[in-house]
Amino acid sequence: SGINAEYGQVAQKMRVSMKDKAAARAARFEKWSTQEQDLVQAAARAYSEKLISDMCHEKIGLADPTIQPVLKKMYNLYLVTVLQENIGFFLSNNLISRKAAAGLRNDFDALIKDIAPDALALADGFGITDEMLSAPIARDWELYNSYDNAGEMEKYEDMIRT
């Protein structure tokens, strides 16, 4: 998949970069911590995306067959999101076509629309409480931010009751 290819390419760049400074341990640390910080961060991100993808794929296969369809939709939403967030990398390394990249927003929107009817069941299934769902951002965030509330909920609760 694209995520595996991304991780492979970033890991290879890292190996080459660190091999160039194979002299002293201090020199490797200096290169790692100051000169190649962007590459280190890219490798960490790519590795975590690959790990999440691999685990999702494995666990979906082990899940109850009745919930596999919605889990596959959620997994596909994750993959589309990763592609969108890293589109420059995927395009510049020819891991996605321009046509496919142009269709990502439509894919994302279609998945959201398809998943929406299951949103409450998913929230329940993932243990998301009503308190978490009732965060100001989940309600009328414009009203919540219309005054200096210093993060307090009491005033907001009073405003929505009136």
Side-chain angles (χ1 to χ4, degrees), residues 67-82:
I67 64 169
Q68 284 182 359
V70 73
L71 293 177
K72 287 178 184 176
K73 291 175 196 173
M74 296 289 292
Y75 176 54
N76 287 334
L77 182 62
Y78 169 75
L79 295 174
V80 168
T81 301
V82 168

Side-chain angles (χ1 to χ4, degrees), residues 135-150 152-162:
I137 194 73
R139 294 187 278 177
D140 189 344
W141 62 270
E142 288 177 335
L143 174 64
Y144 181 76
N145 290 308
S146 67
Y147 61 95
D148 182 9
N149 57 43
E152 297 298 322
M153 289 295 299
E154 274 183 34
K155 292 178 191 172
Y156 178 74
E157 296 294 337
D158 291 341
M159 286 181 75
I160 62 171
R161 283 190 203 115
T162 57

Side-chain angles (χ1 to χ4, degrees), residues 6-18 39:
E6 176 193 25
Y7 172 69
Q9 287 189 16
V10 172
Q12 179 59 28
K13 286 179 187 176
M14 202 117 150
R15 281 190 290 277
V16 169
S17 174
M18 297 315 290
L39 185 57

Side-chain angles (χ1 to χ4, degrees), residues 87-102:
I87 195 63
F89 179 89
F90 287 104
L91 282 168
S92 64
N93 288 282
N94 297 316
L95 296 173
I96 189 172
S97 71
R98 288 178 138 332
K99 183 178 179 181

Side-chain angles (χ1 to χ4, degrees), residues 27 31 36-37 45 59 62 66 68 79 86 97 104 106 114 144 153 157:
K31 183 155 184 140
E36 296 292 352
Q37 197 49 233
R45 181 192 41 75
K59 298 302 180 186
L62 300 174
T66 62
Q68 284 182 359
L79 295 174
N86 304 293
S97 71
L104 285 175
N106 289 337
D114 205 21
Y144 181 76
M153 289 295 299
E157 296 294 337

Side-chain angles (χ1 to χ4, degrees), residues 66-74 111-126 128:
T66 62
I67 64 169
Q68 284 182 359
V70 73
L71 293 177
K72 287 178 184 176
K73 291 175 196 173
M74 296 289 292
L111 284 164
I112 291 294
K113 185 177 181 179
D114 205 21
I115 292 169
D118 297 313
L120 292 178
L122 286 166
D124 288 343
F126 284 110
I128 299 172

